[in-house]
Amino acid sequence: MAPYEKDVVNINQEKLYATQWNESAKYFYETKRYQWMSEKLVEYDIVLEIGCGTGYSTLALVEAGHTVIAVDKNLECLEKAKALVEQQGKLGKVCFLEGDIAEDGFRKFLSEKCKFDVVICWNIGTSWSKEMMEFYLPHLVEYGLTIPQIKQNPESSYSELIIWKVCRVASENKVPVQIVDRGAQELRFQNDPYYRMLGEEFSYSKIYYDNLHVDSISKGGRMLSTNGVVNDTEKIDIVLVSIFME
């Protein structure tokens, strides 16, 4: 495939992802899922949001009284996010940045040029392609995953990488971090080796868990998968898990 053809494929995938995720995010917003997530942030003014998507999460943060530095690497998502926030008259409370938290140079820029009180990453996701796999492979190996692990579930591997990078930028700037994940069961201290390990790695002394049983759009939005199997039903039951570390 010629370089320009790859660019077209990637742009089309980004557009598709932005369109699908917009429906899922709108549902989260309308059903006040984002309001539930933001309730954990009442003490903090400036929020660095990694993966703002199409802006519904950003809008919920602004409506909760926060100033937001909203980051996404998908330009299609960013354009939708800016349009949404501007439509609601809230653009003055948001700084939108196109960038990839996996890249060292962008994390350095955030640390040196931006001031924030807390870092969040809610429901991380992305479009996926062979070219993305090739680009992120060195980052995934650096993180500690093996090639067979990555090939078995590339999207889950990517999510782990981004969560690790989010915790890293928060720790480097000595601020708390909140991760919101989706799963099939509740997560608590007793059954959570993963976030406890991250907390220890990045010197966080406290971890707070909260779980919310909800439904989520799958077919008609960004379809969800379990163990690599895509769920094509209209809605599915999930558990939203908030992990807050300080």
Side-chain angles (χ1 to χ4, degrees):
M1 187 181 294
Y4 73 90
E5 292 177 324
K6 291 182 180 179
D7 290 341
V8 170
V9 169
N10 288 336
I11 290 170
N12 288 340
Q13 287 174 338
E14 288 189 349
K15 285 183 176 179
L16 177 62
Y17 177 85
T19 299
Q20 292 176 336
W21 177 246
N22 192 62
E23 294 303 312
S24 298
K26 183 180 179 182
Y27 186 73
F28 278 126
Y29 177 80
E30 292 176 339
T31 53
K32 300 190 183 304
R33 315 300 195 220
Y34 288 133
Q35 183 182 45
W36 173 80
M37 299 176 201
S38 66
E39 287 171 356
K40 286 70 175 162
L41 307 173
V42 292
E43 299 178 25
Y44 307 98
D45 180 19
I46 304 174
V47 178
L48 173 60
E49 181 188 18
I50 304 299
C52 67
T54 57
Y56 281 101
S57 55
T58 310
L59 181 59
L61 287 165
V62 172
E63 291 175 341
H66 302 285
T67 299
V68 185
I69 302 168
V71 173
D72 210 288
K73 67 181 181 65
N74 185 329
L75 187 56
E76 299 290 334
C77 282
L78 276 178
E79 289 177 352
K80 286 182 179 292
K82 289 177 185 177
L84 175 67
V85 173
E86 184 175 20
Q87 182 182 25
Q88 299 300 316
K90 306 290 187 181
L91 201 55
K93 297 288 288 183
V94 183
C95 172
F96 286 103
L97 296 175
E98 181 186 2
D100 190 340
I101 194 67
E103 297 183 356
D104 292 341
F106 185 66
R107 284 201 320 279
K108 183 179 179 182
F109 168 82
L110 291 174
S111 296
E112 293 181 352
K113 303 297 183 181
C114 300
K115 180 183 181 300
F116 42 88
D117 304 311
V118 63
V119 182
I120 69 167
C121 183
W122 294 350
N123 295 330
I124 190 66
T126 187
S127 58
W128 197 253
S129 66
K130 179 182 177 182
E131 289 73 33
M132 281 186 63
M133 168 73 85
E134 293 171 351
F135 176 80
Y136 284 105
L137 188 59
H139 296 283
L140 292 165
V141 172
E142 177 199 8
Y143 166 63
L145 295 175
T146 65
I147 301 298
Q149 287 174 322
I150 297 167
K151 286 184 176 179
Q152 183 177 8
N153 200 333
E155 292 191 38
S156 177
S157 299
Y158 170 82
S159 296
E160 280 193 37
L161 170 69
I162 296 305
I163 289 170
W164 183 60
K165 297 287 188 177
V166 167
C167 291
R168 181 174 175 179
V169 75
S171 176
E172 289 171 348
N173 288 275
K174 297 180 170 53
V175 299
V177 59
Q178 182 198 23
I179 307 296
V180 175
D181 206 350
R182 293 160 291 189
Q185 62 182 13
E186 293 190 1
L187 190 66
R188 302 190 184 278
F189 184 84
Q190 294 81 359
N191 67 336
D192 169 37
Y194 176 64
Y195 289 103
R196 287 165 57 185
M197 177 189 69
L198 284 180
E200 292 176 4
E201 179 177 357
F202 293 107
S203 302
Y204 286 107
S205 60
K206 297 178 182 178
I207 305 181
Y208 303 94
Y209 300 86
D210 198 6
N211 296 270
L212 184 67
H213 289 258
V214 299
D215 63 1
S216 177
I217 291 175
S218 189
K219 184 179 181 180
R222 184 65 179 175
M223 287 200 291
L224 302 176
S225 61
T226 304
N227 298 322
V229 179
V230 175
N231 192 313
D232 62 359
T233 56
E234 184 177 347
K235 293 180 182 177
I236 63 172
D237 293 327
I238 62 171
V239 180
L240 290 176
V241 184
S242 167
I243 303 98
F244 190 90
M245 295 188 281
E246 63 178 4

